[in-house]
Amino acid sequence: MSMKWLDWAKRIQALSQSGLAFSKDLYDIERYEELREISAEIMAEHTNLEINIINDLFTNETGYQTPKVDVRGVVFKNGKILMVKENIDNQWALPGGFCDVGMSPSENVVKEIKEESNYDVNPVKLIALLDKNKHPHPPEAYHYYKVFILCEIIGGEPATGLETSQVEFFSEHNLPPLSENRNTVTQLKMVFDFLRNPEKEAIFD
């Protein structure tokens, strides 16, 4: 099924949010609020989410709409990649999460890897900066950029965190069921390419 509806809904929501952030005219504000309602109705029509949940998501956003940033740590050991099993869906992902305000991407990835796997790491190289819309992730209300950062282990022992139930290393040809909101098979193959080709330049989009 075509996903153009999702692109339209997100664009309408972004325009309405920007309009609400900058408009001073009461009539324009009413129009932007109506546009935001229309975008929520489109989302509700094509997803299992209740309209009030979508409205809450959209109305919690303020200011000029920009993509959110998700960072993922790429950690290899003996040719295998570090992954964590997410409690939220019982599927596997590279350790990571949303970037926190006040922290750089590398600081965020160190924090996320520690929280989710208990490993201490040192960021080594930016592998990829990807637009989530250009990859086969399940549909979401927001627009995301995904940052993949290669890291090396400098300490710690494997242990689960509040959001994870298992910590393991997997070979490229024996990957577990993936949490596709967080990472896809093609993205995992992409990061293994960097293991084989350490001098490979970072990928974008």
Side-chain angles (χ1 to χ4, degrees):
M1 183 179 69
S2 172
M3 300 299 290
K4 288 294 293 182
W5 63 267
L6 180 61
D7 185 42
W8 292 331
K10 289 194 287 190
R11 286 165 60 191
I12 293 170
Q13 192 275 332
L15 288 170
S16 66
Q17 182 176 313
S18 297
L20 289 170
F22 296 109
S23 181
K24 304 298 182 184
D25 184 271
L26 292 178
Y27 295 104
D28 284 343
I29 289 172
E30 286 183 358
R31 295 184 185 100
Y32 287 125
E33 287 176 342
E34 184 174 355
L35 281 173
R36 186 165 61 185
E37 291 174 5
I38 291 170
S39 67
E41 289 173 6
I42 295 172
M43 290 290 296
E45 181 69 23
H46 292 278
T47 67
N48 294 324
L49 293 176
E50 298 289 337
I51 187 71
N52 61 313
I53 295 175
I54 297 171
N55 277 326
D56 287 343
L57 286 173
F58 285 177
T59 56
N60 281 335
E61 296 289 305
T62 59
Y64 188 80
Q65 181 78 20
T66 60
K68 296 181 180 296
V69 181
D70 173 65
V71 66
R72 293 288 149 185
V74 179
V75 181
F76 292 109
K77 181 180 179 181
N78 299 325
K80 296 182 178 182
I81 195 163
L82 174 67
M83 302 196 76
V84 295
K85 192 172 187 180
E86 300 280 350
N87 289 334
I88 195 168
D89 60 5
N90 289 318
Q91 306 294 309
W92 292 82
L94 301 175
F98 292 134
C99 281
D100 293 329
V101 172
M103 299 180 71
S104 71
S106 60
E107 290 169 338
N108 268 283
V109 80
V110 169
K111 177 182 74 72
E112 291 288 342
I113 292 172
K114 182 64 175 178
E115 290 177 351
E116 296 188 351
S117 73
N118 199 46
Y119 280 113
D120 299 307
V121 300
N122 181 46
V124 175
K125 179 180 180 179
L126 174 68
I127 285 182
L129 174 59
L130 304 182
D131 182 339
K132 194 171 183 180
N133 286 350
K134 295 180 181 293
H135 298 265
H137 294 279
E140 292 198 60
Y142 297 123
H143 187 185
Y144 295 91
Y145 288 164
K146 299 185 69 64
V147 183
F148 294 79
I149 298 177
L150 180 66
C151 301
E152 60 182 5
I153 296 175
I154 58 175
E157 296 293 332
T160 58
L162 293 176
E163 299 177 355
T164 57
S165 60
Q166 289 181 248
V167 179
E168 291 188 29
F169 287 85
F170 294 91
S171 67
E172 181 177 7
H173 302 294
N174 189 35
L175 294 174
L178 298 180
S179 179
E180 294 188 346
N181 275 331
R182 294 161 182 80
N183 40 217
T184 66
V185 171
T186 53
Q187 289 164 356
L188 268 293
K189 292 185 179 299
M190 172 194 73
V191 300
F192 271 101
D193 282 342
F194 281 86
L195 178 63
R196 289 185 289 269
N197 304 290
E199 302 305 316
K200 185 174 181 178
E201 293 186 1
I203 297 171
F204 58 92
D205 284 1

